[in-house]
Amino acid sequence: MNPHLKKWSCGYRLRLMKYLFLFLFAPYLWAQSPGNAVKVGDSTCLDCHEDEAAAITPTIHWTSPQMEEGFICESCHGPGSVHAETEEATSIYNPRTDFMEVEGNKCLDCHTGEQFGSLQGVAHYEMENGCSSCHTVHSTSEHLLVKSSRELCKDCHQEVVGQFQLASHHPVPEGLMECVSCHQVHGGNNAFAATEGTRELCLSCHSSKEGPFVFEHEPVNEDCNICHTPHGAVANALLVQNEPALCMNCHYMHFHSSLTGYEGTVFSETPGEFFEPLHPNRTGVSSLDAWKKAFTTKCTQCHQQVHGSDLPSQGVSSMGRSLTR
Amino acid sequence: MKHYRLSFLLLIMIILFLQQFGYSQISNPTTEWSLWMGSHYTGLQDYTLKVAEFDRGVEGFVPELRLDWFRYSKTGNLRFKGYYYDPKRMNFSFAGQYTPWVKASARYQSFYRQNQRDLLANLSAREATDRTGAQPGGKMLTSEQLNPEMGVGFRRQEIQTNLEIRLPGMENIKIFASHRSIFEKGQEEHIQIMHCATCHLTSRVVDLERNTHAVTGGVEADLGKIQLSYKASYRTFSSNVEPFEAFFDTAQHPVNGTLVEEFSSRNIFSGESVPMNQYPETQKLSHTLKAKGKLGKGSFLAQFVNFSAENTVDLIDPNITVSGNLKLKGNYGNLRLNYPLFKKSNFVLRGYYGRFENDPINIDVPPWREGRPAGDLDIFDWTRYSNFTRTELKGSGEFIYQPSRKYRLNLLAGIETRERDDYPFEGAKDKTTTLQIKGGIKYRPTEKFTGRLSLLYKNIDNPFAPYKHMFERPGYAGADSLVPENGAPAIYYYQRDALRYGDITSLPAQETGVQLKLSFMPQKTVNFTVGLNASMAANSDEPELDFKKTSLQPLLGLNLIPSDKFAFYSSYSYLLQTQNGIAAVAMMDG
Amino acid sequence: MHYGSLYTETDYEVKSHILNGTLSYQLMPSVALNVQGTFSKSSASFDPVEMPQTPLRTLAEEKIHLANYDYSTIHSYSDLDYQFLNLRLGLTYAISKIVGWDLVIDYYDLTDNQGYVYGVESGTFYVIRTGFSIYRSGK
């Protein structure tokens, strides 16, 4: 094809016309860009946005004395003269749809308190609609949430919701705790957006386990998550495994578990056969594997004080460390 | 009881303050309220201590009431929420704000938790003297529930109050104070085990009354580019229940009831009553300094915490002597820097340093076999060093890049070290080092599809392991032979400690993880989600255990909202966790 | 006498199926129906512990009076197997703009197929709740 002809093709001419148009009308377009808008006042906004007016006037964002009197809408949406003239959605800032920048958003211009941590880099902050993913500004709901906090978290964290359906769980499904009881959703310094580091967070409610104790159990100092899983577990007490399997990860089985059991009653039926004083009501039934059942079913039947104790256990040879008392 | 009164008094004062101050100061208010009045019937069948764990477990009708009251105006707002479910489950909260100057809230919550009773059914055994179990022997194990008819459980009550004040002319300064009390009162099960003669376990139902109180106060200042805050917290824990006294049978030979002196000399106590079920009393004081601000285009968040916690209970067991303070101390600090290296990007640098100390204490236990051959060995007096005494360091850098609404990428690399000064022995400096790499991508080409994928890899050098080791070498022959000490008549149980080996741990040395979530919304009425959380961990550092741990949780979700009248939400997830571990037993006579 | 230790590996496994569903239907302008259901089937168990037949084990079983190192049944003492069903049926009737009536039935059923030291924990718990609600707003 003749290159000269190509230069003057239809597409080329259209593009040229577009640049010419932009050049001629540049001053007008510049004036119409949201960045050059000026404030028009709430009454202008509410003339058109009747529904929003009804929704926002009862809210803290409308009633807060920190907002500029008469220009409350524009406190969040920015100056609205261009939008009032063009009536185009793109000509005004909308926190719900315009949130995308990693750099920040307008909500944080006012919400600077400590509880907002340092949001940049926090996954919750960088969701599709930023703060509006969870909050609705034009509402009187508590904390301006779009749903109750329990329902809201469920939408994205379905796998955690599943863990709360297991037989042992913190009472979140019962409505006695909320996700925010442990999680600081606005970020901070801790893993999993926890309000505190693991140990401090758990001990803020379970303070009887803090110690320091005379007789310690080392994993308690190390990390609660070695033995427990916080959302839900099949085993009792949110244990990652049921006893004795959990204990056997670190401890050998009691050597008495290797005894052969007698098939019969525990108490001697022949007076004087064995020493007294076995109390008459200390009796029971024994079986071939009775010693194994006793020593390899639940270790904390005897070693109850697994989080630590100030009282020594009975044997000198274990130096009082068996956590039975 | 004193604590109860104080906390309830505080709650009532806050409520009165809010009611009087808030109500009278809110001018030209609008009020919204909703009230629900009704009742409920609770029915229970069969065993309900588990299925109704967080219920008080009583059948019958109970009136129920719920009130949500909200009053607001240009000058402030006040909200009351109250829910009475039954005499043991209820919650009430007040929250109010008057202009920017005063903000206060108070909350009370109560519920009951039922616990199961251990039937002790597995704790009944008698030794046999032949392999088939036909001939009875002398060793016996018995158990007994002393209060079989009694239930166990406790009522948990929590009171929390918060107050924030700004002073006129000093709007940038906020003074805050808060209080939190947790009361747990009820009954719990306590099992006593008697050893060395009659192996008899007894289960008692004993009173439980645990109280936690925390008060916090501080100040937060907004200095423009930087915000600073200081917070002091004081927390106490105490048990208001006196330990009960339990009698332990006189130690003697388990088969023929002889050798009382010998067996008693191997025990810290026997043939006497000793206190049981003692809780510590702890007091914890912490100071927190936080700073947050702008750094050019970026921002920073810094925190420094100092704390000390002390167990102040007087040891009430006269059989041992403990010298030293039961005291924890710690200092830790975090720093987090965000800086956009270029447009649409963010670089997050995190640093952490922590130093924690648990004072060593000396524990004197009675001499081993006092007055017997090879007795009076002093090795049974010992110093308790703690693995809580340690130094922790963490650092990571994360790069986040979001070139458009369609993509978000992040890549994190980090290192953590934890060095335990005196674990597993004094001066051991046991150190765990973790290296971590994490990457993720979010892809959202249109509103109809969102995909998220993140990958994690961790390498953990020298993970935490139990100090006593898992295995024992044979003690009857070879270089490790056990011999009776100082003319003792036998080899004793404690001597096996010298034969232990094997730093086995079920904590991983390598870990990889995948998280995937895909959401499709072909129409506004249909939403479909597919997800997968998976992790694989392994530790093959020790020849005895090729440790592997896997976790797999696929997820399916389907939401249908075909019309304003009909909505259907559903999800299915499958959780599979596998882990291998050691089952070990010592082969010995005893 | 002391013959060292005997050990083997065993696998621990947790398996759970968890199903959730919620259905909301506006039967009439003033009547709404809500049905929620959760079902989970979970098990946690470890494999039989098969101790190796080593020369030391043989010796120990000969020398130690009545020692028995067959641990192949111990896993069965602590296996867990639960089925949990929770159903909620809710009916709301808006009598007027400010007054409503509702009925909620919660049904919880736990089936324990294994039992542990607490015995078999199978049981049912239900709550039937009904009441009136009033909503007001104004100066």
Side-chain angles (χ1 to χ4, degrees), chain B residues 31 128 131 472 565 569 579 587, chain C residues 2 4 12 22 61 66-67 138:
Chain B
T31 306
R131 295 266 173 203
E472 295 169 19
K565 291 183 176 177
Y569 305 93
Q579 181 198 310
M587 294 184 289
Chain C
H2 183 255
Y12 191 86
T22 303
E61 284 181 333
L66 295 178

Side-chain angles (χ1 to χ4, degrees), chain B residues 61 73 85 161 172 210 237 277 321 327 336 356-357 363 411 419 469 476 505 528 533 549 566:
Chain B
F61 279 102
S73 78
Y85 179 81
T161 53
N172 59 332
R210 299 188 288 236
F237 170 80
N277 197 37
T321 308
K327 195 168 184 180
R336 185 183 149 122
F356 305 92
E357 287 173 19
I363 302 166
L411 186 65
E419 189 175 83
H469 305 310
Y476 69 95
T505 178
F528 184 61
N533 280 6
K549 183 179 181 179
F566 184 85

Side-chain angles (χ1 to χ4, degrees), chain B residues 528-569:
Chain B
F528 184 61
T529 306
V530 183
L532 174 70
N533 280 6
S535 70
M536 282 166 286
N539 187 345
S540 50
D541 292 351
E542 289 295 320
E544 291 88 356
L545 176 65
D546 189 11
F547 171 75
K548 286 186 178 65
K549 183 179 181 179
T550 59
S551 175
L552 195 68
Q553 190 180 14
L555 171 88
L556 289 173
L558 175 67
N559 298 340
L560 300 170
I561 312 171
S563 72
D564 291 347
K565 291 183 176 177
F566 184 85
F568 175 72
Y569 305 93

Side-chain angles (χ1 to χ4, degrees), chain B residues 126-156:
Chain B
R126 184 172 183 179
E127 185 187 28
T129 54
D130 69 318
R131 295 266 173 203
T132 61
Q135 296 298 317
K139 279 191 194 125
M140 296 177 198
L141 185 153
T142 52
S143 60
E144 185 181 0
Q145 277 194 328
L146 298 180
N147 316 104
E149 73 292 348
M150 291 178 72
V152 287
F154 61 88
R155 183 180 185 181
R156 184 185 189 277

Side-chain angles (χ1 to χ4, degrees), chain A residues 97 118 120 126 140 142 156 200 207 210 213 216 222 236 252-253 262-263 282 304 314 325, chain B residues 50 79 81 126 133 191 212 235 249 268 275 284 317 336 358 384 405 408 420 500 517 584:
Chain A
T97 55
S118 179
Q120 283 89 347
E126 284 153 15
T140 55
E142 203 170 9
C156 296
E200 187 55 34
S207 46
E210 173 149 40
F213 296 99
E216 294 187 328
E222 194 67 19
N236 253 3
Y252 53 84
M253 294 182 280
Y262 165 59
E263 297 269 5
R282 292 182 188 177
Q304 279 197 64
Q314 201 174 11
R325 235 177 108 198
Chain B
K50 182 80 172 171
R79 185 187 287 270
K81 288 174 83 171
R126 184 172 183 179
I191 298 173
T212 303
R235 187 172 80 207
D249 289 345
I268 294 174
K284 185 172 190 177
D317 189 320
R336 185 183 149 122
N358 186 358
R384 192 274 278 136
R405 282 186 80 106
R408 179 175 183 268
R420 306 162 195 86
R500 293 257 170 87
K517 195 172 249 185

Side-chain angles (χ1 to χ4, degrees), chain C residues 1 10 18 23 40 46 66 71-72 78 82 89 111 113 125 128 134 137:
Chain C
M1 292 299 282
T10 182
I18 305 150
L23 189 148
S40 66
F46 64 103
L66 295 178
Y71 282 84
S72 59
S78 57
Y82 293 114
L89 175 71
T111 306
N113 296 313
F125 163 52
I128 303 166
I134 307 165
S137 174

Side-chain angles (χ1 to χ4, degrees), chain B residues 15-117:
Chain B
I15 290 168
L16 284 175
F17 168 79
L18 280 167
Q19 203 272 336
Q20 284 300 314
F21 187 75
Y23 203 88
S24 60
Q25 297 296 322
I26 296 174
S27 55
N28 193 23
T30 302
T31 306
E32 281 179 20
W33 59 267
S34 66
L35 173 70
W36 190 94
M37 288 180 299
S39 73
H40 70 258
Y41 175 81
T42 302
L44 303 162
Q45 279 174 12
D46 303 325
Y47 189 95
T48 53
L49 299 177
K50 182 80 172 171
V51 70
E53 182 181 357
F54 294 101
D55 192 86
R56 66 189 179 126
V58 177
E59 279 197 308
F61 279 102
V62 179
E64 198 179 323
L65 199 68
R66 191 182 297 138
L67 176 68
D68 193 346
W69 182 90
F70 184 43
R71 190 177 180 88
Y72 55 88
S73 78
K74 277 304 270 185
T75 51
N77 61 69
L78 192 61
R79 185 187 287 270
F80 169 76
K81 288 174 83 171
Y83 182 31
Y84 175 87
Y85 179 81
D86 66 29
K88 287 184 177 167
R89 187 195 290 190
M90 62 193 83
N91 61 70
F92 306 101
S93 67
F94 267 99
Q97 182 170 4
Y98 172 63
T99 65
W101 314 120
V102 183
K103 198 174 171 182
S105 64
R107 189 174 73 90
Y108 168 79
Q109 188 195 41
S110 162
F111 65 85
Y112 191 79
R113 182 181 179 191
Q114 306 190 86
N115 290 122
Q116 308 106 304
R117 286 291 309 272

